[in-house]
Amino acid sequence: QVQLVESGGGSLQTGGSLRLSCAASGSTGSPYCMAWFRQAPGKEREAVAAIVTGGGSTYYADPVKGRFTISLDNAKNTLYLQMNSLKPEDTAMYYCAADYRGKRWPYNLVSSLRYNYWGQGTQVTVSS
C-alpha cells in the first residue's frame, strides 16, 4: 500500500517562502505522475502543479506560475513544492497526490481523478 506523507507547511507573512515535501513509501514501482493540489475553506480542490516522473514535463496553475516550482527526487522518493512570493490567496491545505495506474489512465494531470493515492495534507497560511 502506497503512503504519501506531506510536511513543510506553516504560517508566514506575505512574500515569504516555504518548501513542501511529500515522501512516498510502500510501492515497488514508480508513479506515472505526481501533483500538488490545494483546497481553501469553502472552495473546491484545485491542482497547483504536477510532474510526469519519467519525462519530467510539468504543469503549473496560472496563479502560481513563476512563483512555485515542483520537483522530484527519485532517489529519495520525495516530491517537493518550492513556494516563493507567497500571497494570502495561497492559504489552503496542500495535498500531495500520485498516480500509479500509468499513462493510459484517461484523465489529465490537473484532474483529481488522475490520482489514486493522496497524502493527509499540510496547512499553509499566509497573512498580510
Side-chain angles (χ1 to χ4, degrees), residues 2 24 26-34 52-54 72-75 77 98-103 116-117:
V2 174
S27 172
T28 57
S30 298
Y32 169 69
C33 56
M34 298 187 73
V52 177
T53 61
L72 180 66
D73 186 331
N74 287 309
N77 292 326
D99 162 37
Y100 283 83
R101 289 176 287 211
K103 184 177 182 178
N116 54 335
Y117 290 99

PDB file of all heavy atoms in Angstrom, residues 2 24 26-34 52-54 72-75 77 98-103 116-117:
ATOM      1  N   VAL A   2       0.648   2.128  -0.946  1.00  0.00           N
ATOM      2  CA  VAL A   2       1.441   3.343  -1.042  1.00  0.00           C
ATOM      3  C   VAL A   2       1.001   4.326   0.030  1.00  0.00           C
ATOM      4  O   VAL A   2      -0.188   4.504   0.290  1.00  0.00           O
ATOM      5  CB  VAL A   2       1.266   3.986  -2.429  1.00  0.00           C
ATOM      6  CG1 VAL A   2       1.958   5.327  -2.491  1.00  0.00           C
ATOM      7  CG2 VAL A   2       1.808   3.047  -3.502  1.00  0.00           C
ATOM      8  N   ALA A  24       7.089   9.400  -0.409  1.00  0.00           N
ATOM      9  CA  ALA A  24       6.317   8.241  -0.846  1.00  0.00           C
ATOM     10  C   ALA A  24       6.980   6.955  -0.377  1.00  0.00           C
ATOM     11  O   ALA A  24       8.201   6.823  -0.448  1.00  0.00           O
ATOM     12  CB  ALA A  24       6.187   8.236  -2.360  1.00  0.00           C
ATOM     13  N   GLY A  26       6.157   2.391   0.248  1.00  0.00           N
ATOM     14  CA  GLY A  26       5.269   1.252   0.141  1.00  0.00           C
ATOM     15  C   GLY A  26       5.022   0.734  -1.257  1.00  0.00           C
ATOM     16  O   GLY A  26       4.264  -0.213  -1.440  1.00  0.00           O
ATOM     17  N   SER A  27       5.661   1.333  -2.269  1.00  0.00           N
ATOM     18  CA  SER A  27       5.446   0.878  -3.638  1.00  0.00           C
ATOM     19  C   SER A  27       6.697   0.224  -4.192  1.00  0.00           C
ATOM     20  O   SER A  27       7.808   0.649  -3.895  1.00  0.00           O
ATOM     21  CB  SER A  27       5.059   2.052  -4.535  1.00  0.00           C
ATOM     22  OG  SER A  27       5.023   1.637  -5.890  1.00  0.00           O
ATOM     23  N   THR A  28       6.495  -0.791  -5.024  1.00  0.00           N
ATOM     24  CA  THR A  28       7.649  -1.431  -5.671  1.00  0.00           C
ATOM     25  C   THR A  28       7.964  -0.779  -7.008  1.00  0.00           C
ATOM     26  O   THR A  28       8.968  -1.073  -7.619  1.00  0.00           O
ATOM     27  CB  THR A  28       7.377  -2.921  -5.896  1.00  0.00           C
ATOM     28  OG1 THR A  28       6.179  -3.059  -6.687  1.00  0.00           O
ATOM     29  CG2 THR A  28       7.191  -3.640  -4.576  1.00  0.00           C
ATOM     30  N   GLY A  29       7.108   0.105  -7.478  1.00  0.00           N
ATOM     31  CA  GLY A  29       7.330   0.780  -8.737  1.00  0.00           C
ATOM     32  C   GLY A  29       7.270   2.279  -8.583  1.00  0.00           C
ATOM     33  O   GLY A  29       7.157   2.797  -7.468  1.00  0.00           O
ATOM     34  N   SER A  30       7.377   2.979  -9.695  1.00  0.00           N
ATOM     35  CA  SER A  30       7.335   4.438  -9.690  1.00  0.00           C
ATOM     36  C   SER A  30       5.979   4.932 -10.184  1.00  0.00           C
ATOM     37  O   SER A  30       5.384   4.315 -11.062  1.00  0.00           O
ATOM     38  CB  SER A  30       8.443   4.995 -10.580  1.00  0.00           C
ATOM     39  OG  SER A  30       9.711   4.627 -10.096  1.00  0.00           O
ATOM     40  N   PRO A  31       5.501   6.024  -9.663  1.00  0.00           N
ATOM     41  CA  PRO A  31       4.254   6.589 -10.174  1.00  0.00           C
ATOM     42  C   PRO A  31       4.461   7.163 -11.567  1.00  0.00           C
ATOM     43  O   PRO A  31       5.572   7.564 -11.922  1.00  0.00           O
ATOM     44  CB  PRO A  31       3.931   7.688  -9.166  1.00  0.00           C
ATOM     45  CG  PRO A  31       5.248   8.090  -8.626  1.00  0.00           C
ATOM     46  CD  PRO A  31       6.085   6.847  -8.596  1.00  0.00           C
ATOM     47  N   TYR A  32       3.392   7.210 -12.353  1.00  0.00           N
ATOM     48  CA  TYR A  32       3.475   7.847 -13.665  1.00  0.00           C
ATOM     49  C   TYR A  32       3.598   9.350 -13.513  1.00  0.00           C
ATOM     50  O   TYR A  32       4.368  10.003 -14.206  1.00  0.00           O
ATOM     51  CB  TYR A  32       2.250   7.502 -14.498  1.00  0.00           C
ATOM     52  CG  TYR A  32       2.150   8.335 -15.759  1.00  0.00           C
ATOM     53  CD1 TYR A  32       3.060   8.145 -16.799  1.00  0.00           C
ATOM     54  CD2 TYR A  32       1.184   9.337 -15.883  1.00  0.00           C
ATOM     55  CE1 TYR A  32       2.997   8.929 -17.946  1.00  0.00           C
ATOM     56  CE2 TYR A  32       1.131  10.117 -17.026  1.00  0.00           C
ATOM     57  CZ  TYR A  32       2.032   9.906 -18.055  1.00  0.00           C
ATOM     58  OH  TYR A  32       1.985  10.682 -19.180  1.00  0.00           O
ATOM     59  N   CYS A  33       2.836   9.907 -12.584  1.00  0.00           N
ATOM     60  CA  CYS A  33       2.894  11.337 -12.344  1.00  0.00           C
ATOM     61  C   CYS A  33       2.539  11.631 -10.896  1.00  0.00           C
ATOM     62  O   CYS A  33       1.952  10.789 -10.214  1.00  0.00           O
ATOM     63  CB  CYS A  33       1.966  12.105 -13.280  1.00  0.00           C
ATOM     64  SG  CYS A  33       0.236  11.601 -13.224  1.00  0.00           S
ATOM     65  N   MET A  34       2.927  12.808 -10.458  1.00  0.00           N
ATOM     66  CA  MET A  34       2.606  13.264  -9.113  1.00  0.00           C
ATOM     67  C   MET A  34       2.199  14.720  -9.186  1.00  0.00           C
ATOM     68  O   MET A  34       2.534  15.428 -10.145  1.00  0.00           O
ATOM     69  CB  MET A  34       3.802  13.075  -8.175  1.00  0.00           C
ATOM     70  CG  MET A  34       4.231  11.642  -8.008  1.00  0.00           C
ATOM     71  SD  MET A  34       5.519  11.415  -6.756  1.00  0.00           S
ATOM     72  CE  MET A  34       4.569  11.656  -5.238  1.00  0.00           C
ATOM     73  N   VAL A  52       5.296  14.785 -14.592  1.00  0.00           N
ATOM     74  CA  VAL A  52       5.373  13.430 -15.117  1.00  0.00           C
ATOM     75  C   VAL A  52       6.735  12.890 -14.736  1.00  0.00           C
ATOM     76  O   VAL A  52       7.756  13.465 -15.105  1.00  0.00           O
ATOM     77  CB  VAL A  52       5.172  13.413 -16.646  1.00  0.00           C
ATOM     78  CG1 VAL A  52       5.333  11.989 -17.188  1.00  0.00           C
ATOM     79  CG2 VAL A  52       3.804  13.973 -16.994  1.00  0.00           C
ATOM     80  N   THR A  53       6.768  11.800 -14.011  1.00  0.00           N
ATOM     81  CA  THR A  53       8.016  11.373 -13.402  1.00  0.00           C
ATOM     82  C   THR A  53       9.050  10.889 -14.418  1.00  0.00           C
ATOM     83  O   THR A  53      10.236  11.120 -14.242  1.00  0.00           O
ATOM     84  CB  THR A  53       7.761  10.264 -12.381  1.00  0.00           C
ATOM     85  OG1 THR A  53       7.185   9.139 -13.051  1.00  0.00           O
ATOM     86  CG2 THR A  53       6.806  10.724 -11.290  1.00  0.00           C
ATOM     87  N   GLY A  54       8.606  10.265 -15.485  1.00  0.00           N
ATOM     88  CA  GLY A  54       9.560   9.747 -16.457  1.00  0.00           C
ATOM     89  C   GLY A  54      10.156  10.836 -17.330  1.00  0.00           C
ATOM     90  O   GLY A  54      11.374  10.975 -17.435  1.00  0.00           O
ATOM     91  N   LEU A  72      11.143  16.559  -8.243  1.00  0.00           N
ATOM     92  CA  LEU A  72      11.077  15.186  -7.757  1.00  0.00           C
ATOM     93  C   LEU A  72      12.480  14.648  -7.561  1.00  0.00           C
ATOM     94  O   LEU A  72      13.309  14.742  -8.464  1.00  0.00           O
ATOM     95  CB  LEU A  72      10.305  14.326  -8.766  1.00  0.00           C
ATOM     96  CG  LEU A  72      10.122  12.849  -8.456  1.00  0.00           C
ATOM     97  CD1 LEU A  72       9.244  12.680  -7.220  1.00  0.00           C
ATOM     98  CD2 LEU A  72       9.500  12.140  -9.649  1.00  0.00           C
ATOM     99  N   ASP A  73      12.735  14.096  -6.393  1.00  0.00           N
ATOM    100  CA  ASP A  73      13.996  13.414  -6.119  1.00  0.00           C
ATOM    101  C   ASP A  73      13.714  11.920  -6.140  1.00  0.00           C
ATOM    102  O   ASP A  73      13.187  11.371  -5.174  1.00  0.00           O
ATOM    103  CB  ASP A  73      14.548  13.848  -4.757  1.00  0.00           C
ATOM    104  CG  ASP A  73      15.940  13.287  -4.474  1.00  0.00           C
ATOM    105  OD1 ASP A  73      16.251  12.186  -4.998  1.00  0.00           O
ATOM    106  OD2 ASP A  73      16.689  13.910  -3.730  1.00  0.00           O
ATOM    107  N   ASN A  74      14.033  11.288  -7.253  1.00  0.00           N
ATOM    108  CA  ASN A  74      13.715   9.864  -7.404  1.00  0.00           C
ATOM    109  C   ASN A  74      14.467   8.994  -6.396  1.00  0.00           C
ATOM    110  O   ASN A  74      13.937   7.989  -5.919  1.00  0.00           O
ATOM    111  CB  ASN A  74      14.032   9.408  -8.824  1.00  0.00           C
ATOM    112  CG  ASN A  74      13.027   9.928  -9.834  1.00  0.00           C
ATOM    113  OD1 ASN A  74      11.819   9.786  -9.655  1.00  0.00           O
ATOM    114  ND2 ASN A  74      13.510  10.543 -10.887  1.00  0.00           N
ATOM    115  N   ALA A  75      15.670   9.390  -6.076  1.00  0.00           N
ATOM    116  CA  ALA A  75      16.475   8.598  -5.138  1.00  0.00           C
ATOM    117  C   ALA A  75      15.841   8.566  -3.751  1.00  0.00           C
ATOM    118  O   ALA A  75      15.943   7.580  -3.026  1.00  0.00           O
ATOM    119  CB  ALA A  75      17.890   9.146  -5.072  1.00  0.00           C
ATOM    120  N   ASN A  77      12.542   9.217  -3.327  1.00  0.00           N
ATOM    121  CA  ASN A  77      11.084   9.034  -3.479  1.00  0.00           C
ATOM    122  C   ASN A  77      10.317  10.193  -2.847  1.00  0.00           C
ATOM    123  O   ASN A  77       9.317   9.988  -2.136  1.00  0.00           O
ATOM    124  CB  ASN A  77      10.641   7.717  -2.844  1.00  0.00           C
ATOM    125  CG  ASN A  77      11.166   6.512  -3.588  1.00  0.00           C
ATOM    126  OD1 ASN A  77      11.296   6.534  -4.808  1.00  0.00           O
ATOM    127  ND2 ASN A  77      11.479   5.461  -2.867  1.00  0.00           N
ATOM    128  N   ALA A  98      -0.459  10.995  -6.105  1.00  0.00           N
ATOM    129  CA  ALA A  98       0.347  10.174  -7.011  1.00  0.00           C
ATOM    130  C   ALA A  98      -0.544   9.255  -7.831  1.00  0.00           C
ATOM    131  O   ALA A  98      -1.555   8.740  -7.336  1.00  0.00           O
ATOM    132  CB  ALA A  98       1.353   9.343  -6.216  1.00  0.00           C
ATOM    133  N   ASP A  99      -0.149   9.053  -9.077  1.00  0.00           N
ATOM    134  CA  ASP A  99      -0.860   8.144  -9.987  1.00  0.00           C
ATOM    135  C   ASP A  99       0.029   6.963 -10.292  1.00  0.00           C
ATOM    136  O   ASP A  99       1.074   7.107 -10.926  1.00  0.00           O
ATOM    137  CB  ASP A  99      -1.226   8.878 -11.275  1.00  0.00           C
ATOM    138  CG  ASP A  99      -1.547   7.911 -12.403  1.00  0.00           C
ATOM    139  OD1 ASP A  99      -2.151   6.857 -12.129  1.00  0.00           O
ATOM    140  OD2 ASP A  99      -1.195   8.215 -13.553  1.00  0.00           O
ATOM    141  N   TYR A 100      -0.422   5.777  -9.838  1.00  0.00           N
ATOM    142  CA  TYR A 100       0.309   4.553 -10.116  1.00  0.00           C
ATOM    143  C   TYR A 100      -0.399   3.707 -11.168  1.00  0.00           C
ATOM    144  O   TYR A 100      -0.024   2.560 -11.406  1.00  0.00           O
ATOM    145  CB  TYR A 100       0.493   3.744  -8.832  1.00  0.00           C
ATOM    146  CG  TYR A 100       1.574   4.300  -7.938  1.00  0.00           C
ATOM    147  CD1 TYR A 100       1.317   5.351  -7.060  1.00  0.00           C
ATOM    148  CD2 TYR A 100       2.856   3.759  -7.956  1.00  0.00           C
ATOM    149  CE1 TYR A 100       2.313   5.866  -6.241  1.00  0.00           C
ATOM    150  CE2 TYR A 100       3.863   4.260  -7.126  1.00  0.00           C
ATOM    151  CZ  TYR A 100       3.570   5.314  -6.280  1.00  0.00           C
ATOM    152  OH  TYR A 100       4.561   5.813  -5.475  1.00  0.00           O
ATOM    153  N   ARG A 101      -1.429   4.260 -11.802  1.00  0.00           N
ATOM    154  CA  ARG A 101      -2.168   3.485 -12.792  1.00  0.00           C
ATOM    155  C   ARG A 101      -1.566   3.603 -14.183  1.00  0.00           C
ATOM    156  O   ARG A 101      -1.875   2.821 -15.066  1.00  0.00           O
ATOM    157  CB  ARG A 101      -3.645   3.916 -12.805  1.00  0.00           C
ATOM    158  CG  ARG A 101      -4.366   3.467 -11.549  1.00  0.00           C
ATOM    159  CD  ARG A 101      -5.781   3.946 -11.479  1.00  0.00           C
ATOM    160  NE  ARG A 101      -5.859   5.366 -11.192  1.00  0.00           N
ATOM    161  CZ  ARG A 101      -6.845   5.922 -10.522  1.00  0.00           C
ATOM    162  NH1 ARG A 101      -7.836   5.172 -10.060  1.00  0.00           N
ATOM    163  NH2 ARG A 101      -6.874   7.229 -10.331  1.00  0.00           N
ATOM    164  N   GLY A 102      -0.734   4.608 -14.405  1.00  0.00           N
ATOM    165  CA  GLY A 102       0.008   4.670 -15.653  1.00  0.00           C
ATOM    166  C   GLY A 102      -0.544   5.646 -16.664  1.00  0.00           C
ATOM    167  O   GLY A 102      -1.626   6.223 -16.511  1.00  0.00           O
ATOM    168  N   LYS A 103       0.206   5.775 -17.744  1.00  0.00           N
ATOM    169  CA  LYS A 103      -0.053   6.777 -18.775  1.00  0.00           C
ATOM    170  C   LYS A 103      -1.439   6.658 -19.380  1.00  0.00           C
ATOM    171  O   LYS A 103      -2.061   7.655 -19.748  1.00  0.00           O
ATOM    172  CB  LYS A 103       1.013   6.648 -19.863  1.00  0.00           C
ATOM    173  CG  LYS A 103       0.932   7.680 -20.961  1.00  0.00           C
ATOM    174  CD  LYS A 103       2.065   7.503 -21.945  1.00  0.00           C
ATOM    175  CE  LYS A 103       2.033   8.558 -23.025  1.00  0.00           C
ATOM    176  NZ  LYS A 103       3.157   8.430 -23.970  1.00  0.00           N
ATOM    177  N   ASN A 116      -4.530   8.117  -7.668  1.00  0.00           N
ATOM    178  CA  ASN A 116      -5.146   7.095  -6.826  1.00  0.00           C
ATOM    179  C   ASN A 116      -4.559   7.014  -5.419  1.00  0.00           C
ATOM    180  O   ASN A 116      -4.985   6.168  -4.637  1.00  0.00           O
ATOM    181  CB  ASN A 116      -5.106   5.720  -7.510  1.00  0.00           C
ATOM    182  CG  ASN A 116      -3.710   5.297  -7.944  1.00  0.00           C
ATOM    183  OD1 ASN A 116      -2.846   6.117  -8.177  1.00  0.00           O
ATOM    184  ND2 ASN A 116      -3.505   3.995  -8.074  1.00  0.00           N
ATOM    185  N   TYR A 117      -3.580   7.855  -5.127  1.00  0.00           N
ATOM    186  CA  TYR A 117      -3.075   7.920  -3.765  1.00  0.00           C
ATOM    187  C   TYR A 117      -2.919   9.382  -3.357  1.00  0.00           C
ATOM    188  O   TYR A 117      -2.470  10.212  -4.161  1.00  0.00           O
ATOM    189  CB  TYR A 117      -1.729   7.193  -3.626  1.00  0.00           C
ATOM    190  CG  TYR A 117      -1.868   5.698  -3.743  1.00  0.00           C
ATOM    191  CD1 TYR A 117      -1.595   5.045  -4.936  1.00  0.00           C
ATOM    192  CD2 TYR A 117      -2.289   4.949  -2.655  1.00  0.00           C
ATOM    193  CE1 TYR A 117      -1.736   3.679  -5.046  1.00  0.00           C
ATOM    194  CE2 TYR A 117      -2.443   3.578  -2.760  1.00  0.00           C
ATOM    195  CZ  TYR A 117      -2.160   2.948  -3.962  1.00  0.00           C
ATOM    196  OH  TYR A 117      -2.318   1.593  -4.064  1.00  0.00           O
TER     197      TYR A 117
END
